[in-house]
Amino acid sequence: MMKTKKILAGAVTLFAAVTLAACANGSTKDIVTMKGNTINVSEFYERVKTNQQAQQVLLSMVIEDVFEAQYGKEVSSKDVDEAYDKMAKQYGESFTSALASAGLTQETYKQQIRANKLVEFAVKEAAEKELTDEKYKELYEAYTPEVTAQIIKLTDEAKANEILAQAQAEGADFAQLAKDNSTDTETKENGGTVKFDSTSTTVPAEVKTAIFALNNDQVGASVVKSINLSNYQVSYYVVKLNTKSEKAADWKEYKDTLKDGFIKSKQSDTAFVRNVISEVFKKANVKVKDEAFQTILSQYITTGDTSSSSSTTEGSSSSETKESSSDK
């Protein structure tokens, strides 16, 4: 079963999934009353605005509004529903509780999916501008065509070394070793068989590199260590290359594959994504009006009296934002 925090993940996860009542600065509307005292919106805002979760809420609101205004037509309700349904299917009966554990409702999760997809589109558009023929040739030189291989994933290094010794023995049945020992539920029943090229994300980069260096029907000389950066879980792999595909001489035969791989790499490149968001914010003339939020927004814009910053999106009315939100 996937960890609950995976419910937050899109191709590009940009902000925390938390909700907070919108607080109009300076409002005296009461939130709570009690004997001898009241807590109003303005008092609440002053208390919570420096909270990290509140900071993230503002960032998410700015991203949602700005990207909706510039790219809203590029993401349909169907796109969002399909992504939502896919995640719901993966979680099954535990989906509702997973949403609740992440502080999400069906509506707010769909809103997050939509925002992620809007940013994905912007990043894709920016990445495509870099795909000149020279760039394609550069990507081609670094490209390794599809291979068929087998992997055995384990959580214990000593056990992995033990399985490696068995896999290297003459007459070893690698497929059976995978079925009996691998912790990778997606591949073990198929004897650990995987197919991928250098642009694939189905196996860790360290595993791909180790397999590409092997000859046909060769088992790796050592265990491959990999760390999942999303949860810092360490895994150990015993690998075997079955067959390699011969690389075509013309890069144009791989143009679509190279393009898709390049775009995916940019969508997972934090610096590139940050720069795209920064450019979109600049185009929207986003400015910070409350110093309390300069820190969280300064990663995308320059804050200060003479620079662009973010808290409100000028040139896009509140009514337009509300209308676009109701269409989601």
Side-chain angles (χ1 to χ4, degrees), residues 27 68 173 187 193 201 288 310:
S27 173
E68 186 67 49
D173 187 339
T187 65
T193 300
T201 57
V288 173
S310 66

Side-chain angles (χ1 to χ4, degrees), residues 16-220:
V18 289
T19 56
L20 184 71
C23 298
N25 193 14
S27 173
T28 58
K29 179 180 179 181
D30 292 339
I31 299 176
V32 177
T33 62
M34 63 200 80
K35 287 183 178 180
N37 199 13
T38 61
I39 298 175
N40 62 39
V41 171
S42 180
E43 292 169 334
F44 180 66
Y45 172 79
E46 288 302 317
R47 179 71 64 89
V48 304
K49 68 181 182 180
T50 56
N51 179 277
Q52 183 61 34
Q53 288 187 329
Q55 297 269 328
Q56 291 290 342
V57 168
L58 179 65
L59 175 59
S60 69
M61 290 174 68
V62 175
I63 290 175
E64 288 167 11
D65 286 356
V66 171
F67 279 80
E68 186 67 49
Q70 294 194 37
Y71 298 102
K73 295 181 180 180
E74 307 298 339
V75 177
S76 68
S77 297
K78 182 180 178 181
D79 295 331
V80 175
D81 288 341
E82 288 178 351
Y84 180 91
D85 292 342
K86 181 179 179 180
M87 186 64 75
K89 183 177 180 181
Q90 289 177 359
Y91 270 83
E93 295 180 356
S94 66
F95 185 56
T96 300
S97 61
L99 282 176
S101 297
L104 293 164
T105 64
Q106 176 177 328
E107 182 181 353
T108 57
Y109 183 46
K110 284 188 175 183
Q111 186 177 13
Q112 180 183 313
I113 291 173
R114 181 172 181 81
N116 282 339
K117 284 190 171 295
L118 290 170
V119 177
E120 281 180 7
F121 179 86
V123 173
K124 175 177 177 290
E125 186 177 67
E128 287 176 339
K129 293 178 181 178
E130 296 188 7
L131 284 171
T132 62
D133 282 1
E134 289 304 312
K135 187 63 179 179
Y136 272 116
K137 291 175 183 178
E138 177 187 327
L139 295 170
Y140 166 78
E141 291 300 322
Y143 177 67
T144 301
E146 185 178 78
V147 300
T148 300
Q150 289 170 280
I151 60 172
I152 303 173
K153 181 181 178 182
L154 301 121
T155 57
D156 181 77
E157 186 174 14
K159 178 68 172 179
N161 280 306
E162 178 186 325
I163 299 302
L164 174 63
Q166 295 179 37
Q168 290 174 329
E170 186 176 351
D173 187 339
F174 197 100
Q176 191 60 51
L177 287 171
K179 291 178 181 179
D180 293 342
N181 298 281
S182 183
T183 62
D184 188 342
T185 56
E186 294 185 5
T187 65
K188 66 179 297 179
E189 294 306 319
N190 194 29
T193 300
V194 288
K195 291 184 179 182
F196 58 88
D197 62 14
S198 57
T199 68
S200 301
T201 57
T202 53
V203 296
E206 301 90 343
V207 175
K208 289 195 296 184
T209 299
I211 290 175
F212 290 152
L214 299 175
N215 297 317
N216 288 352
D217 296 318
Q218 183 181 6
V219 175

Side-chain angles (χ1 to χ4, degrees), residues 247-298:
K247 191 172 183 177
D250 187 355
W251 66 266
K252 292 180 181 178
E253 293 192 30
Y254 302 110
K255 187 172 183 178
D256 290 343
T257 299
L258 295 174
K259 178 180 178 179
D260 290 344
F262 181 71
I263 290 172
K264 287 178 182 177
S265 71
K266 290 301 184 182
Q267 288 175 334
S268 62
D269 183 336
T270 303
F272 189 83
V273 173
R274 183 184 296 116
N275 185 62
V276 170
I277 295 174
S278 177
E279 289 301 314
V280 175
F281 278 11
K282 186 183 299 182
K283 183 177 180 181
N285 194 28
V286 177
K287 297 181 182 297
V288 173
K289 299 298 184 181
D290 190 323
E291 291 183 0
F293 295 99
Q294 287 190 354
T295 300
I296 192 68
L297 294 162
S298 63

